Amino acid sequence: QVQLEESGGGTAQSGGSLRLSCTASGFILTDYPIAWFRDVPGKERESVSCMSRIDGTKYYSNSVKGRFTISRDKSKNTVFLQMDSLKPEDAAVYYCATDLVGQSDCGEYADGVGFDPNYWGQGTQVTVSS
C-alpha cells in the first residue's frame, strides 16, 4: 500500500528545534521528488522545502532558508525536515508530498521550490510558543 506518514510535530519554544519525518511505504522515496508544504488557516499553502528526484538537489523557501534542512535516509525510506531557530510564524500543519504519477520535480512552482503533488501525507502539527 502506498503511503506517506509524517511524524515529529509538536510544540517548541521560539528559537528551538523540531525534526519532522516523512516515511514512505509502497514505493522507493528516492525515485520521486519529495516536498514539505505547510498550511496556516487563512494563508496560501507554502512550499517549504523540496528534494529533487533527479539528483537530490535541495530547495528552500526564502522564509526558512538557513534555518531548515531537508535530508533523507535511504535505508529507512524516510525524508527529514530539521527545523532550527523556530519562529512563531513557522507554526502550521506540515505535509510531505510527492508525485507518483507524472514527471514533476522541485522548482516547478512560481516560488521556485514546490511542484504539483498528487500524493500527500496526513500532516503533522507544529506549534511554536513565543
PDB file of all heavy atoms in Angstrom, residues 39-71:
ATOM      1  N   ASP A  39       0.563  24.532   5.924  1.00  0.00           N
ATOM      2  CA  ASP A  39      -0.726  25.208   5.847  1.00  0.00           C
ATOM      3  C   ASP A  39      -0.977  25.983   7.126  1.00  0.00           C
ATOM      4  O   ASP A  39      -0.851  25.437   8.235  1.00  0.00           O
ATOM      5  CB  ASP A  39      -1.861  24.188   5.681  1.00  0.00           C
ATOM      6  CG  ASP A  39      -2.048  23.748   4.253  1.00  0.00           C
ATOM      7  OD1 ASP A  39      -1.454  24.384   3.355  1.00  0.00           O
ATOM      8  OD2 ASP A  39      -2.777  22.769   4.029  1.00  0.00           O
ATOM      9  N   VAL A  40      -1.355  27.245   6.941  1.00  0.00           N
ATOM     10  CA  VAL A  40      -1.799  28.082   8.048  1.00  0.00           C
ATOM     11  C   VAL A  40      -3.181  28.589   7.670  1.00  0.00           C
ATOM     12  O   VAL A  40      -3.368  29.083   6.556  1.00  0.00           O
ATOM     13  CB  VAL A  40      -0.838  29.264   8.276  1.00  0.00           C
ATOM     14  CG1 VAL A  40      -1.388  30.174   9.366  1.00  0.00           C
ATOM     15  CG2 VAL A  40       0.544  28.767   8.640  1.00  0.00           C
ATOM     16  N   PRO A  41      -4.150  28.462   8.571  1.00  0.00           N
ATOM     17  CA  PRO A  41      -5.504  28.938   8.235  1.00  0.00           C
ATOM     18  C   PRO A  41      -5.494  30.379   7.770  1.00  0.00           C
ATOM     19  O   PRO A  41      -4.868  31.249   8.390  1.00  0.00           O
ATOM     20  CB  PRO A  41      -6.258  28.778   9.564  1.00  0.00           C
ATOM     21  CG  PRO A  41      -5.542  27.692  10.269  1.00  0.00           C
ATOM     22  CD  PRO A  41      -4.093  27.855   9.904  1.00  0.00           C
ATOM     23  N   GLY A  42      -6.165  30.612   6.663  1.00  0.00           N
ATOM     24  CA  GLY A  42      -6.266  31.974   6.147  1.00  0.00           C
ATOM     25  C   GLY A  42      -5.115  32.397   5.261  1.00  0.00           C
ATOM     26  O   GLY A  42      -5.118  33.503   4.727  1.00  0.00           O
ATOM     27  N   LYS A  43      -4.135  31.521   5.119  1.00  0.00           N
ATOM     28  CA  LYS A  43      -2.982  31.833   4.274  1.00  0.00           C
ATOM     29  C   LYS A  43      -2.858  30.805   3.153  1.00  0.00           C
ATOM     30  O   LYS A  43      -3.323  29.680   3.262  1.00  0.00           O
ATOM     31  CB  LYS A  43      -1.701  31.853   5.100  1.00  0.00           C
ATOM     32  CG  LYS A  43      -1.615  32.976   6.100  1.00  0.00           C
ATOM     33  CD  LYS A  43      -0.230  33.034   6.730  1.00  0.00           C
ATOM     34  CE  LYS A  43      -0.092  34.207   7.677  1.00  0.00           C
ATOM     35  NZ  LYS A  43       1.265  34.290   8.266  1.00  0.00           N
ATOM     36  N   GLU A  44      -2.169  31.219   2.108  1.00  0.00           N
ATOM     37  CA  GLU A  44      -1.917  30.308   0.999  1.00  0.00           C
ATOM     38  C   GLU A  44      -0.924  29.245   1.423  1.00  0.00           C
ATOM     39  O   GLU A  44       0.029  29.515   2.179  1.00  0.00           O
ATOM     40  CB  GLU A  44      -1.366  31.108  -0.179  1.00  0.00           C
ATOM     41  CG  GLU A  44      -1.290  30.357  -1.489  1.00  0.00           C
ATOM     42  CD  GLU A  44      -0.901  31.265  -2.639  1.00  0.00           C
ATOM     43  OE1 GLU A  44      -1.183  32.471  -2.575  1.00  0.00           O
ATOM     44  OE2 GLU A  44      -0.296  30.755  -3.595  1.00  0.00           O
ATOM     45  N   ARG A  45      -1.139  28.020   0.927  1.00  0.00           N
ATOM     46  CA  ARG A  45      -0.200  26.946   1.223  1.00  0.00           C
ATOM     47  C   ARG A  45       1.190  27.327   0.746  1.00  0.00           C
ATOM     48  O   ARG A  45       1.367  27.850  -0.357  1.00  0.00           O
ATOM     49  CB  ARG A  45      -0.646  25.660   0.553  1.00  0.00           C
ATOM     50  CG  ARG A  45       0.333  24.493   0.683  1.00  0.00           C
ATOM     51  CD  ARG A  45      -0.260  23.217   0.168  1.00  0.00           C
ATOM     52  NE  ARG A  45      -1.318  22.750   1.050  1.00  0.00           N
ATOM     53  CZ  ARG A  45      -2.233  21.842   0.718  1.00  0.00           C
ATOM     54  NH1 ARG A  45      -2.219  21.318  -0.488  1.00  0.00           N
ATOM     55  NH2 ARG A  45      -3.147  21.471   1.581  1.00  0.00           N
ATOM     56  N   GLU A  46       2.176  27.027   1.550  1.00  0.00           N
ATOM     57  CA  GLU A  46       3.553  27.403   1.239  1.00  0.00           C
ATOM     58  C   GLU A  46       4.413  26.173   0.994  1.00  0.00           C
ATOM     59  O   GLU A  46       4.379  25.208   1.769  1.00  0.00           O
ATOM     60  CB  GLU A  46       4.155  28.218   2.393  1.00  0.00           C
ATOM     61  CG  GLU A  46       5.581  28.679   2.144  1.00  0.00           C
ATOM     62  CD  GLU A  46       6.182  29.433   3.320  1.00  0.00           C
ATOM     63  OE1 GLU A  46       5.541  29.494   4.390  1.00  0.00           O
ATOM     64  OE2 GLU A  46       7.313  29.956   3.171  1.00  0.00           O
ATOM     65  N   SER A  47       5.179  26.221  -0.063  1.00  0.00           N
ATOM     66  CA  SER A  47       6.197  25.197  -0.296  1.00  0.00           C
ATOM     67  C   SER A  47       7.380  25.564   0.582  1.00  0.00           C
ATOM     68  O   SER A  47       7.926  26.660   0.446  1.00  0.00           O
ATOM     69  CB  SER A  47       6.637  25.181  -1.751  1.00  0.00           C
ATOM     70  OG  SER A  47       5.552  25.156  -2.631  1.00  0.00           O
ATOM     71  N   VAL A  48       7.774  24.676   1.454  1.00  0.00           N
ATOM     72  CA  VAL A  48       8.825  24.974   2.424  1.00  0.00           C
ATOM     73  C   VAL A  48      10.179  24.460   1.933  1.00  0.00           C
ATOM     74  O   VAL A  48      11.175  25.183   1.956  1.00  0.00           O
ATOM     75  CB  VAL A  48       8.482  24.341   3.779  1.00  0.00           C
ATOM     76  CG1 VAL A  48       9.633  24.515   4.764  1.00  0.00           C
ATOM     77  CG2 VAL A  48       7.208  24.944   4.345  1.00  0.00           C
ATOM     78  N   SER A  49      10.186  23.229   1.499  1.00  0.00           N
ATOM     79  CA  SER A  49      11.447  22.628   1.085  1.00  0.00           C
ATOM     80  C   SER A  49      11.163  21.463   0.147  1.00  0.00           C
ATOM     81  O   SER A  49      10.074  20.889   0.180  1.00  0.00           O
ATOM     82  CB  SER A  49      12.235  22.148   2.305  1.00  0.00           C
ATOM     83  OG  SER A  49      13.501  21.628   1.927  1.00  0.00           O
ATOM     84  N   CYS A  50      12.156  21.119  -0.650  1.00  0.00           N
ATOM     85  CA  CYS A  50      11.953  20.056  -1.632  1.00  0.00           C
ATOM     86  C   CYS A  50      13.281  19.372  -1.925  1.00  0.00           C
ATOM     87  O   CYS A  50      14.343  20.009  -1.870  1.00  0.00           O
ATOM     88  CB  CYS A  50      11.368  20.640  -2.915  1.00  0.00           C
ATOM     89  SG  CYS A  50      10.807  19.441  -4.131  1.00  0.00           S
ATOM     90  N   MET A  51      13.206  18.078  -2.234  1.00  0.00           N
ATOM     91  CA  MET A  51      14.399  17.348  -2.636  1.00  0.00           C
ATOM     92  C   MET A  51      14.138  16.705  -3.993  1.00  0.00           C
ATOM     93  O   MET A  51      13.164  15.965  -4.163  1.00  0.00           O
ATOM     94  CB  MET A  51      14.778  16.285  -1.601  1.00  0.00           C
ATOM     95  CG  MET A  51      16.067  15.551  -1.942  1.00  0.00           C
ATOM     96  SD  MET A  51      16.620  14.451  -0.627  1.00  0.00           S
ATOM     97  CE  MET A  51      17.271  15.632   0.540  1.00  0.00           C
ATOM     98  N   SER A  52      15.006  17.003  -4.936  1.00  0.00           N
ATOM     99  CA  SER A  52      14.812  16.573  -6.316  1.00  0.00           C
ATOM    100  C   SER A  52      14.901  15.063  -6.474  1.00  0.00           C
ATOM    101  O   SER A  52      15.721  14.397  -5.837  1.00  0.00           O
ATOM    102  CB  SER A  52      15.872  17.228  -7.195  1.00  0.00           C
ATOM    103  OG  SER A  52      15.860  16.672  -8.500  1.00  0.00           O
ATOM    104  N   ARG A  53      14.082  14.533  -7.355  1.00  0.00           N
ATOM    105  CA  ARG A  53      14.121  13.109  -7.679  1.00  0.00           C
ATOM    106  C   ARG A  53      15.309  12.787  -8.589  1.00  0.00           C
ATOM    107  O   ARG A  53      15.719  11.644  -8.695  1.00  0.00           O
ATOM    108  CB  ARG A  53      12.831  12.666  -8.387  1.00  0.00           C
ATOM    109  CG  ARG A  53      12.609  13.321  -9.745  1.00  0.00           C
ATOM    110  CD  ARG A  53      11.370  12.782 -10.428  1.00  0.00           C
ATOM    111  NE  ARG A  53      11.096  13.483 -11.672  1.00  0.00           N
ATOM    112  CZ  ARG A  53      11.645  13.159 -12.828  1.00  0.00           C
ATOM    113  NH1 ARG A  53      12.490  12.138 -12.895  1.00  0.00           N
ATOM    114  NH2 ARG A  53      11.340  13.841 -13.913  1.00  0.00           N
ATOM    115  N   ILE A  54      15.813  13.803  -9.255  1.00  0.00           N
ATOM    116  CA  ILE A  54      16.861  13.563 -10.247  1.00  0.00           C
ATOM    117  C   ILE A  54      18.226  13.421  -9.585  1.00  0.00           C
ATOM    118  O   ILE A  54      18.956  12.454  -9.816  1.00  0.00           O
ATOM    119  CB  ILE A  54      16.886  14.692 -11.287  1.00  0.00           C
ATOM    120  CG1 ILE A  54      15.562  14.714 -12.049  1.00  0.00           C
ATOM    121  CG2 ILE A  54      18.074  14.518 -12.217  1.00  0.00           C
ATOM    122  CD1 ILE A  54      15.416  15.868 -12.995  1.00  0.00           C
ATOM    123  N   ASP A  55      18.553  14.414  -8.753  1.00  0.00           N
ATOM    124  CA  ASP A  55      19.907  14.418  -8.201  1.00  0.00           C
ATOM    125  C   ASP A  55      19.956  14.764  -6.718  1.00  0.00           C
ATOM    126  O   ASP A  55      21.024  14.983  -6.167  1.00  0.00           O
ATOM    127  CB  ASP A  55      20.798  15.396  -8.971  1.00  0.00           C
ATOM    128  CG  ASP A  55      20.234  16.806  -8.981  1.00  0.00           C
ATOM    129  OD1 ASP A  55      19.223  17.050  -8.291  1.00  0.00           O
ATOM    130  OD2 ASP A  55      20.791  17.658  -9.698  1.00  0.00           O
ATOM    131  N   GLY A  56      18.779  14.824  -6.102  1.00  0.00           N
ATOM    132  CA  GLY A  56      18.743  15.114  -4.672  1.00  0.00           C
ATOM    133  C   GLY A  56      19.005  16.562  -4.325  1.00  0.00           C
ATOM    134  O   GLY A  56      19.205  16.887  -3.144  1.00  0.00           O
ATOM    135  N   THR A  57      18.991  17.448  -5.332  1.00  0.00           N
ATOM    136  CA  THR A  57      19.179  18.873  -5.045  1.00  0.00           C
ATOM    137  C   THR A  57      18.120  19.337  -4.063  1.00  0.00           C
ATOM    138  O   THR A  57      16.966  18.946  -4.140  1.00  0.00           O
ATOM    139  CB  THR A  57      19.092  19.700  -6.338  1.00  0.00           C
ATOM    140  OG1 THR A  57      20.127  19.285  -7.228  1.00  0.00           O
ATOM    141  CG2 THR A  57      19.270  21.185  -6.039  1.00  0.00           C
ATOM    142  N   LYS A  58      18.534  20.188  -3.148  1.00  0.00           N
ATOM    143  CA  LYS A  58      17.635  20.673  -2.100  1.00  0.00           C
ATOM    144  C   LYS A  58      17.187  22.094  -2.392  1.00  0.00           C
ATOM    145  O   LYS A  58      17.985  22.936  -2.811  1.00  0.00           O
ATOM    146  CB  LYS A  58      18.345  20.614  -0.744  1.00  0.00           C
ATOM    147  CG  LYS A  58      18.824  19.205  -0.391  1.00  0.00           C
ATOM    148  CD  LYS A  58      19.684  19.192   0.843  1.00  0.00           C
ATOM    149  CE  LYS A  58      20.216  17.790   1.123  1.00  0.00           C
ATOM    150  NZ  LYS A  58      21.070  17.751   2.328  1.00  0.00           N
ATOM    151  N   TYR A  59      15.924  22.336  -2.145  1.00  0.00           N
ATOM    152  CA  TYR A  59      15.337  23.640  -2.369  1.00  0.00           C
ATOM    153  C   TYR A  59      14.697  24.118  -1.067  1.00  0.00           C
ATOM    154  O   TYR A  59      14.149  23.315  -0.304  1.00  0.00           O
ATOM    155  CB  TYR A  59      14.241  23.563  -3.443  1.00  0.00           C
ATOM    156  CG  TYR A  59      14.728  23.179  -4.813  1.00  0.00           C
ATOM    157  CD1 TYR A  59      15.127  21.880  -5.089  1.00  0.00           C
ATOM    158  CD2 TYR A  59      14.772  24.117  -5.840  1.00  0.00           C
ATOM    159  CE1 TYR A  59      15.571  21.511  -6.353  1.00  0.00           C
ATOM    160  CE2 TYR A  59      15.202  23.763  -7.119  1.00  0.00           C
ATOM    161  CZ  TYR A  59      15.593  22.462  -7.363  1.00  0.00           C
ATOM    162  OH  TYR A  59      16.029  22.104  -8.617  1.00  0.00           O
ATOM    163  N   TYR A  60      14.758  25.428  -0.842  1.00  0.00           N
ATOM    164  CA  TYR A  60      14.163  26.016   0.360  1.00  0.00           C
ATOM    165  C   TYR A  60      13.462  27.317   0.010  1.00  0.00           C
ATOM    166  O   TYR A  60      13.926  28.081  -0.827  1.00  0.00           O
ATOM    167  CB  TYR A  60      15.236  26.311   1.410  1.00  0.00           C
ATOM    168  CG  TYR A  60      15.996  25.092   1.872  1.00  0.00           C
ATOM    169  CD1 TYR A  60      17.237  24.770   1.325  1.00  0.00           C
ATOM    170  CD2 TYR A  60      15.476  24.265   2.863  1.00  0.00           C
ATOM    171  CE1 TYR A  60      17.932  23.645   1.746  1.00  0.00           C
ATOM    172  CE2 TYR A  60      16.168  23.135   3.292  1.00  0.00           C
ATOM    173  CZ  TYR A  60      17.388  22.830   2.720  1.00  0.00           C
ATOM    174  OH  TYR A  60      18.066  21.716   3.137  1.00  0.00           O
ATOM    175  N   SER A  61      12.366  27.560   0.702  1.00  0.00           N
ATOM    176  CA  SER A  61      11.731  28.856   0.564  1.00  0.00           C
ATOM    177  C   SER A  61      12.585  29.903   1.277  1.00  0.00           C
ATOM    178  O   SER A  61      13.361  29.590   2.191  1.00  0.00           O
ATOM    179  CB  SER A  61      10.331  28.835   1.170  1.00  0.00           C
ATOM    180  OG  SER A  61      10.404  28.658   2.575  1.00  0.00           O
ATOM    181  N   ASN A  62      12.425  31.148   0.865  1.00  0.00           N
ATOM    182  CA  ASN A  62      13.196  32.224   1.499  1.00  0.00           C
ATOM    183  C   ASN A  62      12.879  32.338   2.984  1.00  0.00           C
ATOM    184  O   ASN A  62      13.726  32.734   3.784  1.00  0.00           O
ATOM    185  CB  ASN A  62      12.916  33.551   0.799  1.00  0.00           C
ATOM    186  CG  ASN A  62      13.537  33.616  -0.573  1.00  0.00           C
ATOM    187  OD1 ASN A  62      14.543  32.968  -0.856  1.00  0.00           O
ATOM    188  ND2 ASN A  62      12.927  34.394  -1.458  1.00  0.00           N
ATOM    189  N   SER A  63      11.674  31.975   3.359  1.00  0.00           N
ATOM    190  CA  SER A  63      11.257  32.132   4.751  1.00  0.00           C
ATOM    191  C   SER A  63      11.949  31.145   5.693  1.00  0.00           C
ATOM    192  O   SER A  63      11.977  31.373   6.906  1.00  0.00           O
ATOM    193  CB  SER A  63       9.739  31.969   4.863  1.00  0.00           C
ATOM    194  OG  SER A  63       9.348  30.675   4.433  1.00  0.00           O
ATOM    195  N   VAL A  64      12.491  30.052   5.153  1.00  0.00           N
ATOM    196  CA  VAL A  64      13.116  29.050   6.029  1.00  0.00           C
ATOM    197  C   VAL A  64      14.590  28.806   5.696  1.00  0.00           C
ATOM    198  O   VAL A  64      15.276  28.081   6.415  1.00  0.00           O
ATOM    199  CB  VAL A  64      12.367  27.695   5.972  1.00  0.00           C
ATOM    200  CG1 VAL A  64      10.896  27.887   6.266  1.00  0.00           C
ATOM    201  CG2 VAL A  64      12.573  26.995   4.645  1.00  0.00           C
ATOM    202  N   LYS A  65      15.066  29.413   4.627  1.00  0.00           N
ATOM    203  CA  LYS A  65      16.447  29.187   4.198  1.00  0.00           C
ATOM    204  C   LYS A  65      17.418  29.567   5.313  1.00  0.00           C
ATOM    205  O   LYS A  65      17.289  30.616   5.935  1.00  0.00           O
ATOM    206  CB  LYS A  65      16.736  30.013   2.943  1.00  0.00           C
ATOM    207  CG  LYS A  65      17.964  29.582   2.173  1.00  0.00           C
ATOM    208  CD  LYS A  65      18.056  30.340   0.859  1.00  0.00           C
ATOM    209  CE  LYS A  65      16.917  29.999  -0.075  1.00  0.00           C
ATOM    210  NZ  LYS A  65      17.006  30.707  -1.377  1.00  0.00           N
ATOM    211  N   GLY A  66      18.348  28.671   5.567  1.00  0.00           N
ATOM    212  CA  GLY A  66      19.318  28.904   6.623  1.00  0.00           C
ATOM    213  C   GLY A  66      18.871  28.405   7.987  1.00  0.00           C
ATOM    214  O   GLY A  66      19.673  28.339   8.927  1.00  0.00           O
ATOM    215  N   ARG A  67      17.604  28.030   8.113  1.00  0.00           N
ATOM    216  CA  ARG A  67      17.091  27.530   9.395  1.00  0.00           C
ATOM    217  C   ARG A  67      16.599  26.090   9.290  1.00  0.00           C
ATOM    218  O   ARG A  67      16.684  25.338  10.265  1.00  0.00           O
ATOM    219  CB  ARG A  67      15.933  28.421   9.871  1.00  0.00           C
ATOM    220  CG  ARG A  67      16.305  29.868  10.081  1.00  0.00           C
ATOM    221  CD  ARG A  67      15.164  30.654  10.731  1.00  0.00           C
ATOM    222  NE  ARG A  67      13.960  30.688   9.898  1.00  0.00           N
ATOM    223  CZ  ARG A  67      12.783  30.189  10.267  1.00  0.00           C
ATOM    224  NH1 ARG A  67      12.650  29.619  11.440  1.00  0.00           N
ATOM    225  NH2 ARG A  67      11.734  30.279   9.459  1.00  0.00           N
ATOM    226  N   PHE A  68      16.071  25.716   8.146  1.00  0.00           N
ATOM    227  CA  PHE A  68      15.540  24.372   7.943  1.00  0.00           C
ATOM    228  C   PHE A  68      16.482  23.596   7.031  1.00  0.00           C
ATOM    229  O   PHE A  68      17.107  24.162   6.125  1.00  0.00           O
ATOM    230  CB  PHE A  68      14.161  24.411   7.290  1.00  0.00           C
ATOM    231  CG  PHE A  68      13.053  24.923   8.181  1.00  0.00           C
ATOM    232  CD1 PHE A  68      13.303  25.550   9.389  1.00  0.00           C
ATOM    233  CD2 PHE A  68      11.733  24.779   7.774  1.00  0.00           C
ATOM    234  CE1 PHE A  68      12.269  26.014  10.188  1.00  0.00           C
ATOM    235  CE2 PHE A  68      10.692  25.239   8.558  1.00  0.00           C
ATOM    236  CZ  PHE A  68      10.960  25.856   9.768  1.00  0.00           C
ATOM    237  N   THR A  69      16.540  22.287   7.271  1.00  0.00           N
ATOM    238  CA  THR A  69      17.378  21.414   6.440  1.00  0.00           C
ATOM    239  C   THR A  69      16.602  20.157   6.071  1.00  0.00           C
ATOM    240  O   THR A  69      16.082  19.465   6.960  1.00  0.00           O
ATOM    241  CB  THR A  69      18.660  21.008   7.189  1.00  0.00           C
ATOM    242  OG1 THR A  69      19.368  22.179   7.601  1.00  0.00           O
ATOM    243  CG2 THR A  69      19.561  20.175   6.285  1.00  0.00           C
ATOM    244  N   ILE A  70      16.549  19.880   4.787  1.00  0.00           N
ATOM    245  CA  ILE A  70      15.916  18.653   4.325  1.00  0.00           C
ATOM    246  C   ILE A  70      16.994  17.608   4.083  1.00  0.00           C
ATOM    247  O   ILE A  70      18.082  17.921   3.592  1.00  0.00           O
ATOM    248  CB  ILE A  70      15.084  18.905   3.037  1.00  0.00           C
ATOM    249  CG1 ILE A  70      14.218  17.694   2.712  1.00  0.00           C
ATOM    250  CG2 ILE A  70      15.963  19.306   1.864  1.00  0.00           C
ATOM    251  CD1 ILE A  70      13.195  17.970   1.590  1.00  0.00           C
ATOM    252  N   SER A  71      16.698  16.386   4.468  1.00  0.00           N
ATOM    253  CA  SER A  71      17.659  15.305   4.275  1.00  0.00           C
ATOM    254  C   SER A  71      16.890  13.999   4.122  1.00  0.00           C
ATOM    255  O   SER A  71      15.674  13.964   4.299  1.00  0.00           O
ATOM    256  CB  SER A  71      18.635  15.210   5.455  1.00  0.00           C
ATOM    257  OG  SER A  71      17.936  14.897   6.649  1.00  0.00           O
TER     258      SER A  71
END
